[in-house]
């Protein structure tokens, strides 16, 4: 005999299940930009992030002020062998793709040099991060500009389709400007989504707005994609790391700033810095210019990464070397490097042979100051 009550109950239960499933689908769609999809892939991203530790930037192809940048091989296998001796394991290669595009330089010409670096890295066992440098993204143009970024990365994705995922990583956009964070997140989501259709396994670096700010990253909601390493740049305190850097402006015009802060040899405020953030940073330096402050600030991103259980990397840190004293530079780099290691955050120095170089003169073991050798934990083999 047919049990009508049981049939009704079963119908009601099935209807509720269908409704729950429908609601679940809508929730998933609504939160697609932030909700994780395949947790097992995250372990790969963590492993690849760790493999990038003890990295260094080679800024040759981002030097937009250098008209000969593309015309010469600024590094050779000798340079990478030197970096290997010094203990570095990965290379980040910033490339001014958008600048070259604006100046009608064919992408194929740029990629020949990128190919060259990739070849050197394979020969010497370095991991390589290719970085999209100097973009033009802003609040007003992000829809069109995002498509241009995707177009460039699509070309690279096809070109390097067979490159091992644990050897070659893409840094999708260097230092997004101080734009609306939601605008940047939309742009980042669209770039990742477009490239993921072409390459399911490549690991991407994605940072926050306001120039890969640690503070913006701490407020950012992670993307749904699991194969992402979240990057940040660390130049805190800026008054010290960029002192005298002409391209920054008057806010860093005060030079002779020591690390750590020392009242006895702290310079007077440069008059040019008045009316800028440089004045605020100057008076704040007695609080910011020390090892504990570095630790406290790095802890901000460490906590964020822990909350989301995602890998992070400091893809830039260093000190402009024209005005900062050598001993202060060494102490700062050692402090940041050691703190990153204590927190198990991979780090990449800026840079090899530019105006943040570790060397006194041309790159060579003999031109590496003893204090800098100590800072990067280089010990010559006896």
């Amino acid at each position: 005999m047919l049990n009508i009550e049981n049939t009704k109950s079963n119908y009601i239960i099935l209807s509720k299940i269908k409704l729950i499933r429908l609601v679940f689908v809508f929730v998933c769609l609504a939160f697609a930009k932030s909700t994780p999809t395949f947790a097992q892939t995250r372990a790969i991203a963590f492993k690849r992030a760790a493999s990038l530790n003890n990295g260094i930037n080679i800024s040759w192809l981002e030097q937009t002020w250098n008209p000969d940048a593309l015309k010469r091989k600024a590094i050779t296998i000798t340079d990478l062998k030197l970096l290997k001796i010094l203990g570095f394991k990965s290379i980040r290669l910033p490339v001014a793709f958008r600048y070259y595009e604006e100046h009608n330089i064919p992408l194929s010409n740029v990629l020949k040099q990128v190919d060259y670096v990739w070849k050197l890295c394979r020969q010497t066992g370095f991991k390589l991060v290719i970085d999209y440098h100097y973009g033009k993204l802003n609040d007003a143009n992000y829809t069109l500009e995002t498509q241009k970024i995707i177009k460039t990365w699509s070309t690279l994705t096809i070109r390097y389709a067979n490159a091992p995922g644990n050897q070659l990583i893409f840094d999708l956009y260097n230092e997004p400007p101080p734009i609306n964070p939601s605008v940047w997140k939309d742009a980042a989501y669209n770039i990742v989504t477009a490239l993921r259709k072409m390459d399911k396994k490549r690991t991407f670096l994605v940072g926050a707005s306001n120039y890969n700010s640690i503070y913006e990253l701490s407020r950012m909601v992670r993307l749904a994609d699991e194969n992402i390493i979240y990057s940040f740049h660390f130049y805190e305190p800026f008054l010290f790391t960029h002192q005298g850097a002409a391209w920054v402006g008057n806010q860093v015009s005060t030079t002779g700033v020591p690390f750590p802060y020392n009242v006895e040899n702290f310079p007077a405020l440069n008059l040019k810095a008045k009316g800028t953030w440089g004045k605020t940073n100057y008076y704040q330096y007695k609080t910011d210019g020390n090892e504990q402050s570095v630790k406290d600030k790095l802890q901000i991103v460490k906590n964020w990464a822990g909350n989301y259980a995602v890998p992070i990397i400091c893809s830039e840190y260093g000190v402009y070397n024209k005005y900062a004293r050598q001993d202060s530079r060494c102490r700062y780099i050692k402090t940041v490097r050691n703190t990153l290691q204590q927190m198990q955050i991979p780090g990449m120095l800026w840079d090899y042979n530019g105006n943040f170089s570790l060397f006194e003169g041309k790159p060579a073991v003999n031109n590496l100051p003893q204090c800098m050798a100590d800072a990067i934990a280089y010990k010559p083999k006896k």
Side-chain angles (χ1 to χ4, degrees), residues 92 129-132 153 169-174 205 231 315:
R92 181 171 178 260
V129 176
I130 301 175
D131 162 50
Y132 186 105
W153 276 121
I169 290 172
F170 294 163
D171 190 344
L172 298 185
Y173 196 90
N174 179 74
L205 262 61
S231 64
S315 53

Side-chain angles (χ1 to χ4, degrees), residues 239 261-263 266 281-290:
L239 181 80
Y261 170 79
N262 186 327
V263 66
F266 195 56
N281 293 338
Y282 175 86
Y283 289 108
Q284 185 68 25
Y285 191 71
K286 63 178 66 178
T287 301
D288 290 345
N290 58 73

Side-chain angles (χ1 to χ4, degrees), residues 2-10:
L2 180 66
N3 190 324
I4 296 177
E5 291 301 320
N6 285 344
T7 302
K8 282 183 178 179
S9 297
N10 290 339

Side-chain angles (χ1 to χ4, degrees), residues 10-180:
N10 290 339
Y11 177 77
I12 292 171
I13 292 170
L14 288 172
S15 298
K16 288 183 177 179
I17 291 172
K18 288 180 180 179
L19 179 60
I20 291 171
R21 286 176 176 173
L22 185 61
V23 171
F24 178 75
V25 168
F26 279 114
V27 169
C28 287
L29 289 173
F31 291 94
K33 293 180 183 179
S34 301
T35 307
T37 50
F38 301 102
Q40 66 270 25
T41 308
R42 201 182 311 181
I44 296 173
F46 268 103
K47 186 175 181 179
R48 290 176 180 172
S51 74
L52 297 176
N53 193 29
N54 291 336
I56 193 165
N57 286 262
I58 294 179
S59 59
W60 159 39
L61 295 177
E62 63 89 28
Q63 295 175 2
T64 56
W65 61 91
N66 181 0
D68 296 324
L70 283 178
K71 299 176 183 178
R72 61 188 182 92
K73 298 287 191 295
I75 61 167
T76 67
I77 196 166
T78 302
D79 293 291
L80 268 65
K81 287 181 177 179
L82 170 61
L83 289 173
K84 182 70 70 173
I85 289 171
L86 295 178
F88 293 100
K89 297 178 181 178
S90 64
I91 303 293
R92 181 171 178 260
L93 184 70
V95 185
F97 289 111
R98 191 70 175 88
Y99 171 86
Y100 293 128
E101 179 184 348
E102 284 186 320
H103 288 76
N104 299 314
I105 297 172
L107 180 59
S108 58
N109 290 5
V110 181
L111 291 179
K112 286 178 182 177
Q113 300 292 30
V114 178
D115 285 345
Y116 166 71
V117 177
W118 173 226
K119 179 181 178 180
L120 293 183
C121 287
R122 296 199 309 276
Q123 290 175 346
T124 50
F126 277 95
K127 315 283 185 182
L128 178 64
V129 176
I130 301 175
D131 162 50
Y132 186 105
H133 223 71
Y134 293 130
K136 297 291 182 178
L137 196 70
N138 60 47
D139 284 310
N141 71 3
Y142 86 97
T143 301
L144 179 60
E145 200 64 30
T146 297
Q147 293 307 310
K148 292 181 179 180
I149 298 166
I150 291 172
K151 182 180 178 181
T152 298
W153 276 121
S154 295
T155 300
L156 271 78
T157 298
I158 294 169
R159 191 180 191 92
Y160 299 114
N162 295 323
N166 63 344
Q167 298 294 319
L168 183 65
I169 290 172
F170 294 163
D171 190 344
L172 298 185
Y173 196 90
N174 179 74
E175 296 190 348
I179 60 177
N180 186 323

Side-chain angles (χ1 to χ4, degrees), residues 97-324:
F97 289 111
R98 191 70 175 88
Y99 171 86
Y100 293 128
E101 179 184 348
E102 284 186 320
H103 288 76
N104 299 314
I105 297 172
L107 180 59
S108 58
N109 290 5
V110 181
L111 291 179
K112 286 178 182 177
Q113 300 292 30
V114 178
D115 285 345
Y116 166 71
V117 177
W118 173 226
K119 179 181 178 180
L120 293 183
C121 287
R122 296 199 309 276
Q123 290 175 346
T124 50
F126 277 95
K127 315 283 185 182
L128 178 64
V129 176
I130 301 175
D131 162 50
Y132 186 105
H133 223 71
Y134 293 130
K136 297 291 182 178
L137 196 70
N138 60 47
D139 284 310
N141 71 3
Y142 86 97
T143 301
L144 179 60
E145 200 64 30
T146 297
Q147 293 307 310
K148 292 181 179 180
I149 298 166
I150 291 172
K151 182 180 178 181
T152 298
W153 276 121
S154 295
T155 300
L156 271 78
T157 298
I158 294 169
R159 191 180 191 92
Y160 299 114
N162 295 323
N166 63 344
Q167 298 294 319
L168 183 65
I169 290 172
F170 294 163
D171 190 344
L172 298 185
Y173 196 90
N174 179 74
E175 296 190 348
I179 60 177
N180 186 323
S182 63
V183 167
W184 164 238
K185 189 181 178 185
D186 279 346
Y189 172 81
N190 290 334
I191 296 167
V192 170
T193 302
L195 298 184
R196 197 57 81 202
K197 293 176 182 177
M198 305 173 66
D199 191 332
K200 303 294 184 185
K201 298 182 178 181
R202 186 72 56 198
T203 299
F204 302 141
L205 262 61
V206 175
S209 59
N210 202 14
Y211 310 114
N212 283 96
S213 162
I214 59 172
Y215 307 107
E216 290 300 334
L217 182 58
S218 72
R219 292 186 281 266
M220 184 176 174
V221 178
R222 58 152 295 175
L223 299 175
D225 194 286
E226 290 288 351
N227 201 358
I228 289 177
I229 303 168
Y230 292 87
S231 64
F232 65 93
H233 293 174
F234 193 81
Y235 292 107
E236 301 278 346
F238 202 72
L239 181 80
F240 169 73
T241 63
H242 282 69
Q243 56 186 290
W247 68 90
V248 177
N250 288 335
Q251 65 167 310
V252 292
S253 58
T254 302
T255 58
V257 179
F259 184 87
Y261 170 79
N262 186 327
V263 66
E264 294 180 359
N265 61 3
F266 195 56
L269 176 69
N270 191 309
L271 295 179
K272 293 180 181 178
K274 291 188 175 181
T276 73
W277 276 107
K279 181 179 178 181
T280 301
N281 293 338
Y282 175 86
Y283 289 108
Q284 185 68 25
Y285 191 71
K286 63 178 66 178
T287 301
D288 290 345
N290 58 73
E291 184 174 330
Q292 186 59 51
S293 179
V294 168
K295 291 180 179 180
D296 291 344
K297 290 174 181 176
L298 286 173
Q299 190 66 49
I300 293 172
V301 284
K302 181 66 177 177
N303 291 345
W304 178 85
N307 289 338
Y308 282 109
V310 293
I312 55 175
I313 186 170
C314 178
S315 53
E316 287 186 22
Y317 71 98
V319 185
Y320 180 49
N321 59 19
K322 187 173 182 179
Y323 296 100

